[in-house]
Amino acid sequence: MAVSKERSKTLQTLANTDYDILILGGGATGAGTALDASLRGYKVALLEKKDFASGTSSRSTKLIHGGVRYLAQFHFKLIHEALTERKRLLQNAPHLVKPLLFVLPTYSWYEKPYFSIGLTMYDFLAGTSTVPGHKRISKDVALGYFPSLKKQSLKGGIAYYDAQFNDARLNVATIRGAKEAGAEIVSRVEVEGFLKENGKIVGVKAVDLLTKKKVSIRAKVVANTTGVWIDAIRKLDDPDSHSVLSPSQGIHLVFSKEKIPCTTAMIIPKTADGRVVFVIPWEGKVVLGTTDTAIKSIDDEPLPLKDEVEFLLQTGNDYLDTKLTKDDILSVFSGLRPLISLDGSKNTKSISREEAILVSDSGLVTMSGGKWSTYRKMGEDLTDRLIVEGKLESKKDCSTMNFSFPGKEGYSPNLYKTLQNKYNLIKNDAIRIADSLGGEAENILGKKPKEILKGSGYFEEEIQHFINKEFAHSVSDVIARRWRVLFLDLALAKKLADPVSKSLAKHLAWTEIQRKNSLKELKDLILSLETTIQ
């Protein structure tokens, strides 16, 4: 496959450079670590087997939050840390991370004071926050916020704030930040083994999946941040290493706002499987999720189980006056949680989401666990550990607490109005562009942007930006992760697929066979998802 000159240069640099830190995996944890270590002045490289955020990191519930449900588990340290990180992200990436009001409905007289006690602790753990604290609300106010809420026996509720974000966009913005800070970043490169001297890891043997060329990359210390693939990488290092992963699957269903009218989010505090479920407005749609299903096999593209779909439909119907059916589902997405169970526990709902770091005898440093809300702190913690394990000289202190993400400069909450007027956009399209591209939007779109599909609100100039600045290499990269269409509307994803493939073919110099292969990859995935919800 033809590759860009920049990619060829990056691969050549990787083969001819001795790095301080080599990171395997470009999801949230790997990206956060690459950014942190690069900003401290270390020579960093990062390899990703597929696309950035192609796995778990693009399939979250889209929340930056402390985790209300962790109150019952007394995980106060985790909650405080996550709420501290929530404040930082709201300040550092205001286009990607935004305050979100939640309604917690109450149907018994004792629930309102009971939940209020817990949320008082939640507010306390948040410290000096950028969002208001919780408040008790009446039935009328609750229905004003969330009109589709089940009215029978409704007493009122609690209103509280957390934050919402675009996970794949934040992942790519973090990767961009790392590259601009000096890291060598490349996707579609798979690790096949480790380079060792005197029993210690000194690098990796890898293959470029686009050209099939082999490359060896040397580093003083190697980090394994491959999510649900951490055990596979650990066994490349030591075939006798015991598995530590206890993965679970979480799925989300997507509906139209016409089906679930709401102006805020809702938390469902009681479900049949003992966890909470969220109903969240996101990107003009409404997301219902999530599940927690222990799994045995790990797939690149996990599919929802029919029981999971039925569970979410039933849970939604228990709390909504509108009745949801499979015919109402616009899209569905599934993610695998890379939970570490060091005590052998298989009850994924009880396993702490706190991070864990493991170091093998040969020096491979593995991090897993955690969640998006604390990914910056995880990157800081892992960088600290890599400095120790790699015996690296001390350089700059961590600076990611105040890092301004690409798109922050020039962004304001009213940017969408400027875009709406300048490009004659409908409001929802202007909001999407402002919230995904931030202050870079006008520079990216230029004077007269060309719609990739008439009436879609998606533009050719965005695709050029994704290729030039955001490492996009396939139709799925664009439609699933740079745009979020695959996660929002399968029918629209099918309509966009062909014109997007033609745009990518032009910019990446694909042959017709390469274009059709990339197109087929996406269409096969869409078909699989459609089948699971029929």
Side-chain angles (χ1 to χ4, degrees), residues 231-355:
D231 280 339
I233 295 295
R234 291 174 65 246
K235 289 182 186 299
L236 281 180
D237 169 33
D238 177 7
D240 295 325
S241 64
H242 67 283
S243 298
V244 297
L245 197 71
S246 290
S248 75
Q249 175 164 287
I251 80 159
H252 299 78
L253 306 180
V254 182
F255 302 89
S256 70
K257 272 197 171 182
E258 288 73 29
K259 188 62 185 179
I260 307 180
C262 58
T263 58
T264 69
M266 177 176 71
I267 179 172
I268 297 175
K270 296 178 182 178
T271 66
D273 75 342
R275 60 181 286 112
V276 301
V277 166
F278 297 100
V279 188
I280 299 171
W282 184 66
E283 299 280 311
K285 311 295 183 185
V286 181
V287 175
L288 172 65
T290 181
T291 56
D292 196 335
T293 307
I295 58 165
K296 294 180 180 179
S297 63
I298 296 173
D299 299 310
D300 281 333
E301 293 293 347
L303 296 173
L305 303 174
K306 292 188 181 296
D307 286 349
E308 292 180 299
V309 175
E310 293 292 347
F311 165 77
L312 286 181
L313 288 173
Q314 182 59 54
T315 300
N317 286 333
D318 286 344
Y319 279 82
L320 298 171
D321 264 349
T322 181
K323 292 306 172 187
L324 307 175
T325 70
K326 288 183 178 179
D327 292 339
D328 300 315
I329 300 172
L330 299 179
S331 187
V332 57
F333 55 95
S334 309
L336 304 181
R337 300 180 186 89
L339 305 178
I340 286 183
S341 177
L342 300 179
D343 62 0
S345 172
K346 298 301 179 184
N347 181 5
T348 58
K349 287 182 278 290
S350 68
I351 298 175
S352 172
R353 266 49 174 176
E354 291 185 86
E355 70 205 46

Side-chain angles (χ1 to χ4, degrees), residues 17-287:
T17 305
D18 288 340
Y19 290 93
D20 294 320
I21 296 171
L22 173 60
I23 299 166
L24 311 181
T29 306
T33 305
L35 177 63
D36 190 307
S38 299
L39 289 173
R40 295 199 208 190
Y42 293 104
K43 194 174 291 185
V44 176
L46 183 146
L47 310 180
E48 164 58 43
K49 183 176 75 170
K50 296 186 72 182
D51 181 31
F52 302 108
S54 59
T56 303
S57 294
S58 65
R59 304 162 195 247
S60 73
T61 313
K62 320 305 176 195
L63 296 179
I64 298 293
H65 62 143
V68 169
R69 74 185 185 93
Y70 300 142
L71 288 168
Q73 300 170 9
F74 304 106
H75 291 160
F76 298 138
K77 178 179 178 292
L78 177 63
I79 295 170
H80 172 67
E81 186 175 87
L83 291 174
T84 301
E85 295 301 318
R86 182 187 71 179
K87 178 180 179 180
R88 288 175 174 144
L89 280 167
L90 284 166
Q91 295 170 335
N92 296 343
H95 55 306
L96 299 174
V97 185
K98 299 177 183 299
L100 180 64
L101 181 64
F102 282 79
V103 170
L104 195 168
T106 56
Y107 289 89
S108 300
W109 65 267
Y110 66 85
E111 287 182 328
K112 194 179 290 187
Y114 174 76
F115 290 135
S116 186
I117 291 170
L119 284 164
T120 298
M121 175 61 74
Y122 199 66
D123 293 339
F124 173 76
L125 291 170
T128 305
S129 179
T130 53
V131 298
H134 82 283
K135 60 181 180 182
R136 302 184 189 189
I137 57 175
S138 67
K139 176 179 178 178
D140 288 343
V141 172
L143 291 171
Y145 285 144
F146 211 99
S148 51
L149 192 59
K150 183 179 178 181
K151 301 174 183 63
Q152 184 178 356
S153 301
L154 180 66
K155 306 300 182 190
I158 308 288
Y160 75 96
Y161 275 90
D162 255 317
Q164 182 177 51
F165 79 129
N166 189 325
D167 47 12
R169 296 294 309 160
L170 183 60
N171 202 139
V172 170
T174 306
I175 286 287
R176 268 189 70 190
K179 181 176 174 60
E180 290 168 7
E184 293 291 350
I185 306 288
V186 65
S187 61
R188 269 69 177 196
V189 172
E190 183 174 11
V191 173
E192 296 185 318
F194 288 95
L195 302 172
K196 293 185 179 181
E197 293 177 0
N198 300 318
K200 295 295 183 181
I201 291 175
V202 295
V204 301
K205 294 175 285 186
V207 58
D208 176 12
L209 297 178
L210 298 185
T211 64
K212 307 305 179 185
K213 291 181 179 178
K214 306 282 187 175
V215 61
S216 292
I217 306 163
R218 297 182 65 86
K220 294 174 183 175
V221 64
V222 177
N224 174 16
T225 60
T226 54
V228 293
W229 302 104
I230 57 166
D231 280 339
I233 295 295
R234 291 174 65 246
K235 289 182 186 299
L236 281 180
D237 169 33
D238 177 7
D240 295 325
S241 64
H242 67 283
S243 298
V244 297
L245 197 71
S246 290
S248 75
Q249 175 164 287
I251 80 159
H252 299 78
L253 306 180
V254 182
F255 302 89
S256 70
K257 272 197 171 182
E258 288 73 29
K259 188 62 185 179
I260 307 180
C262 58
T263 58
T264 69
M266 177 176 71
I267 179 172
I268 297 175
K270 296 178 182 178
T271 66
D273 75 342
R275 60 181 286 112
V276 301
V277 166
F278 297 100
V279 188
I280 299 171
W282 184 66
E283 299 280 311
K285 311 295 183 185
V286 181
V287 175

Side-chain angles (χ1 to χ4, degrees), residues 413-484:
N414 291 321
L415 175 61
Y416 78 92
K417 294 181 180 179
T418 301
L419 300 177
Q420 192 175 4
N421 294 331
K422 182 173 181 177
Y423 299 113
N424 194 29
L425 300 172
I426 66 172
K427 183 177 179 181
N428 283 346
D429 291 341
I431 290 173
R432 177 194 71 79
I433 293 169
D435 289 353
S436 65
L437 303 179
E440 297 183 308
E442 290 181 82
N443 286 336
I444 291 168
L445 293 181
K447 292 182 179 180
K448 193 175 181 181
K450 178 184 176 183
E451 251 183 331
I452 195 73
L453 178 68
K454 188 174 181 180
S456 68
Y458 293 89
F459 294 93
E460 171 81 24
E461 288 75 10
E462 292 180 89
I463 295 176
Q464 288 181 278
H465 171 71
F466 299 153
I467 293 169
N468 295 337
K469 294 287 188 180
E470 296 188 355
F471 314 94
H473 289 288
S474 76
V475 179
S476 296
D477 291 358
V478 173
I479 292 180
R481 289 170 290 278
R482 305 310 182 277
W483 297 332
R484 307 311 310 275

